Amino acid sequence: MIKTNNLVKVFTTEEVETTALNNVNLEVKEGEFVAVMGPSGCGKSTLLNVLGLLDNPTDGEYHFLGYEVSKYSERQRANLRKENIGFVFQSFNLIDELTVFENVELPLLYLNVPSAKRKEKVNAVLEQMDIIHRSGHFPQQLSGGQQQRVAVSRALVSNPKMILADEPTGNLDSSNGDEVMKLLTELNANGTTIVMVTHSPAYAEYAHRSVHLFDGQIVTENINGKFHV
């Protein structure tokens, strides 16, 4: 599903040039659950942004679903992204002025799904996430765990092939964090490919494989408890 070859991302300002990703070679197969770990500033979120087609690399290749997408325009990336990728963020990124239903409905609006079909799909995913009883509430009326359930629902509603989760448990207590990891594990068991950035070794264990970044490079991979340099 994903393959990068010598992926490089450099951020340049007038005063400094920062290499966020340095020759990253990564492959993620369809149906895998991969955790990306490393210290703050090592390039984890930058990698997720490139994998999620939110940004282009400076150099190298990125193959997604068989397409070499590293030089795609924003419009090309957006079209591929909205049909294939769901995002879950640490800060939930819900819109305060919209209800739970309306927040989850947003991706379907971008895909021009008809109204009746939108209602059917939103209600189905809210039922699946056990949050349908809150569909008329606003985000600020929900607990952190409930907000993340809504965020996961929004990521799922368009049936994406892959979910990218950036510290999805970062703003949650351990009980709600465990619940979100259980949800992600169930989604993966049902066939959804998941790439998750996390600082938590315990939550990384939910994944099939852990990739460790340091200074923009992959330094180790942990597969079934065995490290490979």
Side-chain angles (χ1 to χ4, degrees):
M1 177 173 279
I2 283 175
K3 186 175 183 180
T4 71
N5 294 320
N6 297 321
L7 206 66
V8 173
K9 183 62 180 178
V10 177
F11 295 101
T12 304
T13 67
E14 291 182 359
E15 299 178 355
V16 66
E17 185 174 277
T18 303
T19 300
L21 298 175
N22 187 6
N23 293 320
V24 171
N25 294 293
L26 174 67
E27 187 167 356
V28 178
K29 292 181 170 58
E30 187 173 348
E32 267 199 294
F33 187 167
V34 176
V36 179
M37 303 187 71
S40 296
C42 72
K44 300 187 301 297
S45 292
T46 300
L47 177 61
L48 219 61
N49 285 341
V50 172
L51 297 183
L53 303 172
L54 295 172
D55 201 359
N56 276 339
T58 306
D59 200 2
E61 297 179 351
Y62 175 29
H63 298 264
F64 178 65
L65 296 176
Y67 300 97
E68 208 293 291
V69 299
S70 62
K71 302 296 190 295
Y72 268 26
S73 68
E74 170 53 32
R75 175 170 289 186
Q76 288 175 305
R77 294 201 312 271
N79 288 335
L80 195 57
R81 183 174 65 233
K82 68 185 180 182
E83 295 179 1
N84 295 289
I85 302 173
F87 295 88
V88 181
F89 302 96
Q90 176 178 344
S91 56
F92 316 134
N93 282 17
L94 301 176
I95 298 174
D96 289 339
E97 293 77 20
L98 300 182
T99 64
V100 165
F101 183 97
E102 291 166 339
N103 267 282
V104 176
E105 184 185 30
L106 272 178
L108 302 180
L109 289 170
Y110 297 141
L111 290 170
N112 297 314
V113 175
S115 176
K117 189 67 174 177
R118 291 200 308 270
K119 183 175 182 180
E120 176 187 329
K121 291 173 76 71
V122 171
N123 284 335
V125 76
L126 291 176
E127 186 79 49
Q128 180 185 356
M129 292 293 106
D130 195 26
I131 197 73
I132 194 165
H133 59 293
R134 295 285 196 172
S135 61
H137 288 69
F138 292 92
Q140 61 267 32
Q141 296 174 298
L142 307 179
S143 69
Q146 289 172 331
Q147 289 188 60
Q148 196 59 296
R149 280 178 175 272
V150 175
V152 173
S153 299
R154 181 184 56 194
L156 278 180
V157 74
S158 58
N159 297 314
K161 293 180 175 66
M162 177 173 69
I163 287 181
L164 300 180
D166 194 355
E167 293 283 357
T169 61
N171 283 338
L172 303 176
D173 59 32
S174 59
S175 176
N176 282 313
D178 291 346
E179 188 63 30
V180 166
M181 292 308 305
K182 181 181 176 183
L183 289 173
L184 292 177
T185 302
E186 290 173 355
L187 294 174
N188 177 248
N190 289 327
T192 305
T193 305
I194 297 176
V195 179
M196 176 186 70
V197 164
T198 182
H199 279 104
S200 168
Y203 289 149
E205 290 180 5
Y206 284 79
H208 304 145
R209 176 162 56 107
S210 296
V211 175
H212 296 253
L213 287 181
F214 187 77
D215 286 348
Q217 294 181 306
I218 294 177
V219 291
T220 59
E221 288 190 31
N222 181 0
I223 304 172
N224 297 327
K226 295 181 180 180
F227 280 89
H228 299 272
V229 179

